Amino acid sequence: MSTEDRVREALRGVVDPELGRNLVELGMVREVRAEDGKVAVTIALTTLSCPLRGSIAEDVRNAVQRLPGVSAIDVQLTAMNDEERARAFGKAQAPQAPLAESVNNIGSVFAVMSGKGGVGKSLVTGLLAVALRRRGLRVGILDADLTGPSVPKMFGLRDRPQPGQIGLLPVRSRSGIPIISINLFLEREDEAVIWRGPMVASAIKQFWGDVEWGDLDYMFVDLPPGTSDAPLTVLQSLPLAGTVIVSSPQDLAGMVVRKAARMAERLSVPIVGAVENMSYFACPDSGKQYEVFGHSRAEQLSNELGAPLLAKLPIDPTAADLCDRGQVEDYRAETVEQLGSAFLAAAAKRARAGAVR
Amino acid sequence: MSTEDRVREALRGVVDPELGRNLVELGMVREVRAEDGKVAVTIALTTLSCPLRGSIAEDVRNAVQRLPGVSAIDVQLTAMNDEERARAFGKAQAPQAPLAESVNNIGSVFAVMSGKGGVGKSLVTGLLAVALRRRGLRVGILDADLTGPSVPKMFGLRDRPQPGQIGLLPVRSRSGIPIISINLFLEREDEAVIWRGPMVASAIKQFWGDVEWGDLDYMFVDLPPGTSDAPLTVLQSLPLAGTVIVSSPQDLAGMVVRKAARMAERLSVPIVGAVENMSYFACPDSGKQYEVFGHSRAEQLSNELGAPLLAKLPIDPTAADLCDRGQVEDYRAETVEQLGSAFLAAAAKRARAGAVR
């Protein structure tokens, strides 16, 4: 028997917990490849409804790993296409509609993007939410960074999202900011989410449509770096009012950030403002400011993007420390309040411009 | 006529420059979807041979954009499957094998990864190559970060890769380091590469197999952040001797970096060493060291990963400045030489361990 056949046999032992039939019977095993002991399996799930489906991947991995001669296993999850679904269930079952969208009432949605990683996109997302929450606004955060999610740690959240009446309930921070992030679904915060694009896109859409966000004035979506699947899905699928672009003083960062800005332009999403992070380090002994990543290019960035500069944030060891402790909500600095005010002003201006158009 | 049909009609005006027939005739238009003026088109190319194929995407975009009622257009490129290829050309044409692999002789390949963006992965890749090159070793860099490529800028490279006898020739840096990066193919360095995963994976494989690298002692692969398509493709498809993991002192960064390390473990790629970047800032006035991103966790990181600490690199405005000017090869610092020595020692140790196993 070939390795491929032995793998398929082994997958008869893996049962879809919801449907109570094994993956082979259900026609879910779309592809099996084996080479030099390395096995790659693609499983087509009925829907990628919720990230908890990871347990099927785990079961597949365990079943195949045991086989003699298998040294490595890669499991890809994808969703059945209409044909596969029809074969498995007959034409009756239609694809599921987003669960909770009807009960959600979300004012304005803004994506926080940078293209380049590590410039402080998640910090800016967190600080924007904190600043607006302090003003009594209802703000939520959708963490669309599935492979490097930082929002829960920053807010000190570890609870799993619980099922609500219709969809999943977001987890609430101490000051009452509802948050959804893949890291809230993982057993260990440093577990890797090794998903290819389609699975990433599907999870983001569920975070939007299957979560009971309720009434919000603002939602911030924290994007991962790059201009590939996750940012593309957010810019194409969510009803964005605009994006906030984050950069750092390095010209090299600026180049990558401009790529992200171009992507937003191409997809007709307005840029409402720019934030320069890590602009300088204020020496605690002398008070002198050092531009440790080079000379600030904040004004230049703002001009290039045709968007107002919302803030120039310093490198602040206190902020880094509070984020590591999960206490970003305790961070008080004038720059945060200014960031909040500048954002609200820019968003209001953009909304008026949109209404006139 | 429905919008979908009008789009298909318009695509009859787009000709594959190489094959001289239009995309519809060639069966390349895999999918057209239209909703509220937003059009999504998937084009299946015969091979994703070279990133220059972007011009087809541009032509498609231009052809569709012109149609009345079309407000936005998203073009996805993918490769034909065997069935589509057979339909277009008859069974005769087999899928292409990597062009240049037979003439390449590449000693050891190491991926530089971090999971988290902005911790200095590209800088470490560059410095490793520079340090080894200074020792007279033959070193190449494959920039696998397609959506945020930083390597060419750091080395001051703008030339386009030229065709060689078999495949493409990498561009050589001043000190003779051959480099391939998507940014060398773009008209403008800040152009966005808005590709979903399969296209990203295909480009990386071509950078490996269709480029005439020639004889190299070492190759470094600069990975993008995250644990999705690009890192997955590199870890699965290239014959890696190991990875170098880069982190920064923030615990939050450490968490995301550990995700990347877990991914490497799962895919059985050994971690040969860890580098902590941005460990401290040495005040140029007083010489005092400030841990601006929190207390160094270098030893802890090294323990967790079970890999030696290769270097603790400071935040150095000189390095940032030289990278912005494309002169990373002129950066001279003791830490760089130490990084090179420590890497070579760790790689040699790992090679001996591998030979014994």
Side-chain angles (χ1 to χ4, degrees):
Chain A
M1 212 194 303
S2 72
T3 308
E4 277 91 349
D5 288 344
R6 286 191 294 124
V7 170
R8 282 183 190 276
E9 268 312 299
L11 292 178
R12 286 190 185 274
V14 180
V15 171
D16 180 312
E18 216 171 77
L19 303 169
R21 290 160 66 198
N22 77 57
L23 301 190
V24 178
E25 261 182 7
L26 286 165
M28 285 183 174
V29 184
R30 189 183 283 175
E31 195 183 8
V32 175
R33 277 181 298 123
E35 208 183 312
D36 302 336
K38 289 186 185 167
V39 175
V41 177
T42 306
I43 303 292
L45 299 176
T46 51
T47 77
L48 288 172
S49 69
C50 125
L52 297 167
R53 293 304 183 97
S55 73
I56 293 188
E58 223 24 64
D59 292 348
V60 168
R61 194 166 287 120
N62 290 334
V64 175
Q65 223 146 239
R66 270 189 241 126
L67 296 175
V70 170
S71 61
I73 156 101
D74 172 43
V75 180
Q76 293 300 324
L77 297 182
T78 180
M80 285 185 161
N81 56 35
D82 291 344
E83 200 182 308
E84 286 168 323
R85 202 176 284 115
R87 222 183 295 140
F89 305 103
K91 289 276 177 201
Q93 187 164 335
Q96 291 190 329
L99 297 170
E101 238 181 347
S102 61
V103 300
N104 290 339
N105 181 17
I106 300 173
S108 303
V109 186
F110 291 88
V112 182
M113 70 191 298
S114 70
K116 176 135 179 56
V119 295
K121 197 178 29 58
S122 301
L123 178 67
V124 169
T125 305
L127 294 181
L128 276 169
V130 166
L132 268 53
R133 185 74 198 121
R134 283 186 191 151
R135 284 168 167 76
L137 293 163
R138 295 163 303 176
V139 193
I141 301 178
L142 189 163
D143 184 358
D145 190 349
L146 300 189
T147 64
S150 329
V151 175
K153 187 171 178 81
M154 203 179 279
F155 283 86
L157 301 182
R158 294 301 317 257
D159 301 334
R160 277 192 176 237
Q162 299 299 315
Q165 302 235 305
I166 302 177
L168 277 175
L169 296 173
V171 176
R172 282 181 182 274
S173 76
R174 279 184 288 271
S175 72
I177 299 171
I179 293 172
I180 276 289
S181 168
I182 191 73
N183 249 24
L184 298 169
F185 293 92
L186 305 178
E187 291 291 335
R188 298 181 46 165
E189 64 168 10
D190 57 4
E191 209 175 295
V193 169
I194 311 176
W195 288 350
R196 288 197 183 264
M199 184 76 179
V200 168
S202 166
I204 291 173
K205 286 180 193 166
Q206 287 164 26
F207 284 178
W208 169 257
D210 293 355
V211 169
E212 294 185 30
W213 292 102
D215 290 325
L216 292 180
D217 299 307
Y218 291 93
M219 174 186 276
F220 294 105
V221 182
D222 189 14
L223 289 187
T227 51
S228 192
D229 293 82
L232 193 49
T233 298
V234 169
L235 293 183
Q236 288 183 325
S237 314
L238 304 197
L240 296 181
T243 70
V244 173
I245 303 259
V246 185
S247 190
S248 78
Q250 261 208 286
D251 188 30
L252 203 151
M255 173 194 78
V256 177
V257 169
R258 286 196 301 276
K259 285 178 190 268
R262 269 174 214 292
M263 180 191 200
E265 272 167 30
R266 275 221 211 165
L267 297 170
S268 313
V269 178
I271 299 168
V272 293
V275 176
E276 186 175 84
N277 190 29
M278 309 196 218
S279 291
Y280 56 90
F281 169 62
C283 177
D285 295 313
S286 66
K288 193 173 158 186
Q289 296 188 357
Y290 295 95
E291 297 187 314
V292 302
F293 290 113
H295 189 54
S296 169
R297 293 164 192 264
E299 278 73 26
Q300 190 187 331
L301 176 73
S302 158
N303 284 339
E304 281 168 1
L305 300 178
L309 180 67
L310 304 182
K312 266 171 72 168
L313 302 175
I315 298 176
D316 185 348
T318 308
D321 186 51
L322 286 171
C323 286
D324 275 355
R325 294 165 187 267
Q327 299 170 350
V328 68
E329 289 165 299
D330 297 339
Y331 182 53
R332 304 223 162 239
E334 213 181 313
T335 47
V336 176
E337 306 317 314
Q338 284 165 356
L339 170 67
S341 311
F343 167 78
L344 286 172
K349 196 172 160 197
R350 165 60 56 182
R352 282 196 301 276
V356 170
R357 238 192 302 169
Chain B
M1 211 192 305
S2 72
T3 307
E4 277 91 349
D5 289 342
R6 285 190 295 124
V7 170
R8 282 184 190 274
E9 269 312 300
L11 292 178
R12 286 190 185 273
V14 180
V15 171
D16 181 313
E18 215 171 78
L19 302 170
R21 289 160 66 199
N22 77 58
L23 302 190
V24 177
E25 259 182 9
L26 286 164
M28 284 182 175
V29 184
R30 190 183 281 174
E31 196 183 5
V32 175
R33 276 180 300 122
E35 209 184 310
D36 301 335
K38 291 186 183 165
V39 174
V41 176
T42 306
I43 303 293
L45 300 176
T46 51
T47 78
L48 288 172
S49 68
C50 124
L52 298 168
R53 292 306 182 97
S55 74
I56 293 188
E58 221 27 61
D59 292 348
V60 168
R61 194 167 287 119
N62 290 334
V64 175
Q65 224 146 237
R66 269 190 241 127
L67 297 175
V70 170
S71 62
I73 155 100
D74 172 44
V75 180
Q76 293 299 323
L77 297 181
T78 179
M80 285 185 162
N81 55 36
D82 291 343
E83 200 182 309
E84 286 168 322
R85 203 176 285 115
R87 224 183 294 141
F89 305 103
K91 289 277 175 199
Q93 187 165 336
Q96 291 189 328
L99 297 170
E101 238 181 348
S102 61
V103 300
N104 289 340
N105 180 17
I106 300 173
S108 303
V109 186
F110 290 88
V112 182
M113 69 192 298
S114 70
K116 176 134 179 59
V119 296
K121 198 177 28 58
S122 301
L123 178 66
V124 170
T125 305
L127 294 181
L128 276 168
V130 166
L132 268 55
R133 185 75 198 118
R134 283 185 191 152
R135 284 167 166 76
L137 293 164
R138 294 164 304 177
V139 194
I141 301 179
L142 189 163
D143 184 358
D145 190 349
L146 299 190
T147 63
S150 330
V151 175
K153 188 172 177 82
M154 204 180 277
F155 283 86
L157 301 182
R158 294 302 316 259
D159 301 334
R160 279 193 176 235
Q162 299 300 315
Q165 303 235 308
I166 302 177
L168 277 175
L169 296 172
V171 176
R172 282 181 182 275
S173 77
R174 279 183 288 270
S175 72
I177 299 171
I179 293 172
I180 275 288
S181 167
I182 190 72
N183 249 24
L184 299 170
F185 294 91
L186 304 179
E187 290 292 335
R188 297 182 47 166
E189 66 169 9
D190 57 3
E191 209 173 297
V193 170
I194 310 176
W195 288 349
R196 288 197 182 266
M199 185 77 179
V200 168
S202 166
I204 291 173
K205 286 180 192 165
Q206 287 165 27
F207 284 178
W208 169 256
D210 292 356
V211 169
E212 295 185 30
W213 293 103
D215 291 325
L216 292 180
D217 299 307
Y218 290 92
M219 174 186 275
F220 294 105
V221 182
D222 190 15
L223 289 187
T227 52
S228 193
D229 293 83
L232 193 49
T233 298
V234 170
L235 293 183
Q236 288 182 325
S237 312
L238 304 196
L240 296 181
T243 70
V244 173
I245 303 259
V246 185
S247 190
S248 78
Q250 260 207 287
D251 188 31
L252 203 152
M255 173 193 79
V256 177
V257 170
R258 286 197 300 276
K259 286 178 188 268
R262 270 173 213 291
M263 180 192 199
E265 273 167 29
R266 276 223 210 164
L267 297 170
S268 312
V269 178
I271 299 167
V272 293
V275 176
E276 187 176 83
N277 190 30
M278 308 196 220
S279 291
Y280 56 90
F281 169 63
C283 177
D285 296 313
S286 67
K288 193 172 159 186
Q289 296 188 356
Y290 295 94
E291 297 188 314
V292 301
F293 289 114
H295 189 54
S296 169
R297 293 163 192 265
E299 278 73 27
Q300 190 188 330
L301 176 74
S302 159
N303 284 339
E304 280 169 1
L305 300 178
L309 181 67
L310 304 182
K312 266 171 74 170
L313 302 175
I315 298 175
D316 185 348
T318 308
D321 187 51
L322 286 171
C323 286
D324 275 354
R325 292 166 188 268
Q327 299 170 349
V328 68
E329 289 165 298
D330 297 338
Y331 182 53
R332 304 221 163 240
E334 214 183 312
T335 46
V336 177
E337 306 318 313
Q338 284 166 356
L339 170 67
S341 311
F343 167 78
L344 286 172
K349 196 173 159 199
R350 165 59 57 182
R352 284 196 302 276
V356 170
R357 240 192 303 169

